Structures are given as C-alpha cells and as structure tokens.
Amino acid sequence: MRVVGEIPHPDCKITLFSWNNRYLIKFECGLLEQTFKVAEYDVLQESDLYTLVDESFIQETLARFDAMNTSFRTRLQVIS
C-alpha cells in the first residue's frame, strides 16, 4: 500500500492510498475510521482525488462519524 497524500482538516485525519488497482480514501476520527474505495479507472489522475474530497463530502463523513459514535456508545452500555 502506497500513501498518495494527505488532506489537512482540523476535525479528522484524511489519508489517500493507492493499493491493488484502486485508491483508498481513509478518514480517521478518534477511535473510528471510514474508508472509501475508488477504482483507478474511475479517476483520470491521482490529483482528482483531492477534487473528489471536497468540504461537502468531508462534512457528510463527519456526520456519519457522529452517528457511528452514538451507535457504538449505546452498544458499549450493553456490556457495562
């Protein structure tokens, strides 16, 4: 797996990878992560990944992190 780059953001870590004929866009926020896979043939060049990950996409992903965190915290209460 090769790191293509990072997209700086104050609320999460965003790393771009190239692996196995696809690109991976990995978001990390605390203990949670989300990964989006994009086939290499769906983008013309690696720099298109930076266009794909715009602020709207990031905000949608952050909202999903909130939902994931709520769900996980609820499940943790079951075992404690």
Side-chain angles (χ1 to χ4, degrees):
M1 188 174 315
R2 176 176 67 89
V3 175
V4 172
E6 292 187 9
I7 298 174
H9 198 275
D11 298 322
C12 63
K13 181 177 179 182
I14 307 169
T15 311
L16 308 173
F17 298 96
S18 176
W19 179 68
N20 212 17
N21 297 321
R22 61 183 81 144
Y23 294 109
L24 282 69
I25 304 166
K26 181 177 178 182
F27 290 80
E28 296 176 79
C29 188
L31 297 175
L32 303 173
E33 62 182 49
Q34 297 178 55
T35 302
F36 298 87
K37 297 177 183 177
V38 181
E40 281 185 352
Y41 57 80
D42 285 340
V43 295
L44 296 176
Q45 52 195 357
E46 288 180 0
S47 61
D48 291 339
L49 295 170
Y50 293 90
T51 303
L52 179 67
V53 183
D54 64 1
E55 191 59 32
S56 174
F57 185 68
I58 293 170
Q59 290 307 313
E60 291 170 6
T61 304
L62 291 173
R64 224 173 350 269
F65 274 126
D66 289 340
M68 290 169 67
N69 188 45
T70 299
S71 176
F72 188 58
R73 295 265 176 226
T74 300
R75 295 308 304 157
L76 283 176
Q77 289 177 357
V78 170
I79 62 171
S80 49

